[in-house]
Amino acid sequence: MSEVFSSNSEAVLQRMVDAPTERDAPLENIEELYQIKKTCDFINLNNFKKVALQFPDVLLLDSVAITNALERNTEAKLFILGDTSYGSCCVDEVAAEHVEADCIVHYGSTCLSATRRLPLMYVFQRRTVDLEKCAAAFRDLYPDTQSRVLVMYDVNYSHVIDDLLALLKPQYSNVVTSTLLLDANSQTPLERTDSSDQEGAEVIRQFGRRFVLESGFGLADYGVFFIGQEGATLRNLMMTWNRCSFTSFDPSTATGRAESAGVNRALMKRYYAIERAKDAGVVGILVGTLGVADYLGIIQQLKTTLQQAGKKSYMFAMGKLNVAKLANFLEIDIFVLVACPENSLLDSNEFYKPVVTPFEMEVACNPNRKWSQDYVTDFRHLLPGGQSHVPLASERELGAETDVSLITGALRHLSFDGRPSPGSSSVVLRNQMLTVANTNSAGALRTTPLTPLRPCDSLHGGEESNRGRLSECGVYYFLSDQRKARLNNEARTWPSR
């Protein structure tokens, strides 16, 4: 079988973790760099017995030293979570619950997405910054001392912001800095923020950050100066606040530059994906998180939106995404990824079918939501009560409205379909590594009403025994109603498992 649609099983067994071989700091600085005392106080004061320590790949080299330091100062049983189910920026509550952990300590970069299940503490990496070079780069990028500038940063540089502000404030009186919505003492997420906001000022709380703009001015009146490497955090901010001009300072190279040149091009690519979503008839909902709050709410809202638009939807939960996994499902026209804001903007150039965000799918399926410069990456804002929520169009509002595809030129009919889609169901790929594609199944989801049957190790009984081998791949069976009825009758005689 061609490896275009399949991962080599030998390669999976021999794969090595791409972790650094050199530490960012010597072992004697572990106590300060990873806030060992503050972490032990968090564990001991709350009397936690089992603690999950979540590390990204880049910090696995220090995980043993950190665990040993914590064990010397606490009696809790510690578990290292070395491989996350989804993105390393998200808190992996599912993996922590597997060991019945009482809390999670998350190390390294994070998207600061809200969680609900377990107590949480963040420990950032506290990377070094040459403040003099950073301030010099700021002055070069903003020669006008009256410029209104918002200073944003990667969480690993949060400890240097006050010192940087002390260098800039004497000259730049209109500089505003963001603060993380975390408790200053315990580094745990804040449930409520302070109410000491300036009267008339605009207060923005987004992506786990808070900042206050001068009265009479909006975010579009400010430039954004970002401290950190180019990556998911900067890309998320630029797409969301695309009316602002962005500059950045990379502490690893000590250089600053303008960043806004490619934003319009990126938005054009996302709009092309929206047009593909409008043309799609079968949509796959990819569950890219099990820890971000309200992910079930947005999945249900997507199902309702797709049903009203007359599209069939299937739900997939397959962990970290790759080309081979999604190539298994040739029947799907387009995928929509439910994930944290930083992982939602997936570059789908290598994938066989486009991958869009919940916001983009709503633009495609809900006539009440129009495409504009307001781009939403946080799906929680799309839910009822969210700052970007738009109700679905009613049958009367839709009427007999038609649209023309900008890709195919075909006429599209935007009709209200209030009936449940007979093909809607869920497909779950259990095995994280095995990716078998069946190229002969194209169109099956469109032509046959299918119903999911529980996964099993093999099917027993008569002529169906040879048809159960696919379940060894961890894929849910999809059978016609007639065959499912026959198997259910036979299942009553199967031994219990």
Side-chain angles (χ1 to χ4, degrees), residues 324-493:
K325 284 182 181 179
L326 296 190
N328 284 300
F329 309 101
L330 303 181
E331 307 87 352
I332 303 299
D333 295 322
I334 196 167
F335 293 94
V336 53
L337 175 61
V338 176
C340 73
E342 294 189 4
N343 285 327
S344 292
L345 296 171
L346 185 67
D347 186 359
S348 57
N349 287 338
E350 296 182 357
F351 292 87
Y352 293 93
K353 298 296 173 64
V355 181
V356 299
T357 66
F359 168 75
E360 291 165 348
M361 185 56 71
E362 279 211 357
V363 173
C365 298
N366 183 5
N368 283 346
R369 184 180 291 280
K370 304 299 182 182
W371 173 258
S372 66
Q373 287 184 299
D374 296 324
Y375 193 89
V376 182
T377 58
D378 189 346
F379 63 74
R380 299 177 68 204
H381 294 167
L382 304 176
L383 296 171
Q387 63 186 40
S388 301
H389 173 68
V390 175
L392 288 174
S394 64
E395 183 176 8
R396 177 179 300 178
E397 290 174 322
L398 284 177
E401 185 178 351
T402 58
D403 186 20
V404 177
S405 171
L406 298 181
I407 298 176
T408 65
L411 191 65
R412 295 186 296 233
H413 183 57
L414 304 178
S415 61
F416 182 88
D417 184 6
R419 298 168 298 174
S421 176
S424 294
S425 188
S426 301
V427 183
V428 182
L429 183 60
R430 298 288 188 181
N431 192 317
Q432 294 289 321
M433 297 300 182
L434 197 56
T435 51
V436 179
N438 181 1
T439 58
N440 295 325
S441 60
L445 298 184
R446 292 188 178 91
T447 58
T448 308
L450 302 173
T451 307
L453 186 66
R454 64 177 179 84
C456 53
D457 296 329
S458 62
L459 289 176
H460 302 274
E463 60 180 5
E464 301 294 344
S465 58
N466 292 329
R467 303 180 186 271
R469 300 303 180 186
L470 184 60
S471 64
E472 296 175 2
C473 302
V475 183
Y476 266 98
Y477 272 88
F478 276 82
L479 306 175
S480 64
D481 294 336
Q482 295 83 359
R483 182 174 294 175
K484 180 172 181 285
R486 289 169 55 195
L487 290 178
N488 284 338
N489 290 333
E490 292 180 7
R492 297 188 180 96
T493 63

Side-chain angles (χ1 to χ4, degrees), residues 62-108:
D62 292 337
S63 60
V64 175
I66 294 171
T67 304
N68 291 336
L70 293 175
E71 286 180 337
R72 289 193 295 266
N73 297 281
T74 181
E75 297 181 357
K77 189 174 183 179
L78 306 178
F79 298 87
I80 295 177
L81 307 182
D83 185 24
T84 56
S85 302
Y86 298 97
S88 60
C89 66
C90 298
V91 178
D92 196 349
E93 292 182 310
V94 174
E97 289 181 337
H98 286 168
V99 296
E100 300 180 344
D102 299 319
C103 72
I104 301 176
V105 180
H106 183 285
Y107 290 87

Side-chain angles (χ1 to χ4, degrees), residues 260-274:
S260 300
V263 174
N264 290 336
R265 184 179 179 184
L267 288 172
M268 290 172 63
K269 290 178 64 176
R270 307 308 300 191
Y271 186 73
Y272 172 77
I274 292 174

